[in-house]
Amino acid sequence: MTHTQLKNSILQLAVSGRLVNQIASEGNANDLLTQIQKEKQKLIAQGKIKKSKTQSSIYKKEGRWFEKSGKKEKDITDELPFEIPGNWTWARLGEIGEFTGGKTPSSESLRAEGNIPYYKVSDMNRIENQKFMIKTEAYLDSSYTGKLFKKNTIIFPKNGGAVFTNKKRILTTDSLIDLNTGAFSFSNQLDLEFVYLMFQTIDFRKHYKGTALPTVDTEEVKNILWGIPPLAEQKRIVQKIEELFNTINS
């Protein structure tokens, strides 16, 4: 087994709740998800994010998993990819975060130095930007008043052949990303490193549309089912993965 295969196996154990033991005192993920939903509804009411057309909630009843969207309730037990621990819960990816796309600014608004970085897809190839976006040669003028992408947003190539590289990066400061870059922002009630590691399991090569110009099918990605553990367990999973990855690399 190669290093890459071994790391992927570790991530699969992590996403299915088999990497670390469950601790009852850490609570359950249902409470965490409830808080995330409340936060999301508040942001929708404030007009900061858009309401999802397919908003849903997933819950367990009499040993089966159900999803409720509007007035419709559906048994999705047979759709679930694996079993999860009793203190975990399921959620569609679009329910715990928001997918958006970038914007390409006018050349007149760009500078060689500044406080607001502007990143293009090609910047993900820089050696300094292998996980965290740090290096760029373009910054926005201080007078820029348009939308920015918040620190800790996960970004990825959204259009073109770069989609197949499966790159995922983290913004280290509020930034602007170009039109060919996608963004996934999520509640700070989730652990950043956990979400980033789990995001590595998404293979965009299986979730795209178009041939001449491949584009990530964000509607399809939003529907991916994710197992969510309590926050404390998320942190323990991250720590365990880091320990195992360090052992593999040594």
Side-chain angles (χ1 to χ4, degrees), residues 39 43 46 48-49 98-102 115-117 119 131-133 140 144-156 169-177 181-188 192:
E39 179 184 84
L43 292 174
Q46 293 173 345
K48 294 182 177 180
I49 63 174
E98 183 184 23
F99 283 93
T100 51
N115 296 321
I116 306 175
Y119 295 111
K131 178 178 178 181
F132 295 101
M133 297 301 289
L140 290 166
Y144 180 80
T145 57
K147 177 183 177 180
L148 294 177
F149 293 82
K150 296 293 185 181
K151 174 183 177 180
N152 294 338
T153 296
I154 297 175
I155 63 171
F156 51 89
R169 304 290 188 260
I170 302 172
L171 295 180
T172 55
T173 187
D174 292 2
S175 312
L176 182 64
I177 56 177
T181 304
F184 178 64
S185 56
F186 52 92
S187 170
N188 58 15
L192 167 63

Side-chain angles (χ1 to χ4, degrees), residues 191-219:
D191 183 82
L192 167 63
E193 291 291 339
F194 173 80
V195 176
Y196 178 73
L197 286 167
M198 298 306 99
F199 215 76
Q200 304 307 304
T201 67
I202 299 175
D203 188 351
F204 289 129
R205 294 171 299 182
K206 298 179 180 178
H207 303 286
Y208 75 95
K209 53 188 177 182
T211 52
L213 181 66
T215 301
V216 171
D217 190 336
T218 52
E219 290 303 315

Side-chain angles (χ1 to χ4, degrees), residues 153-166:
T153 296
I154 297 175
I155 63 171
F156 51 89
K158 186 184 72 170
N159 300 317
V163 166
F164 302 124
T165 66
N166 260 326

Side-chain angles (χ1 to χ4, degrees), residues 18 44 69 78 96 103 108 129 142 226 237 247-248:
R18 294 178 289 161
I44 290 173
S69 180
D78 295 335
I96 62 170
K103 177 183 178 181
E108 291 79 12
N129 298 340
S142 58
W226 250 10
I237 288 173
T247 299
I248 293 171

Side-chain angles (χ1 to χ4, degrees), residues 13-14 51 54 76 78 80 97 118 188 222 225 241:
L13 290 174
K51 183 177 181 179
T54 57
I76 62 168
D78 295 335
L80 303 176
Y118 167 58
N188 58 15
K222 286 178 185 178
L225 286 158
I241 288 177

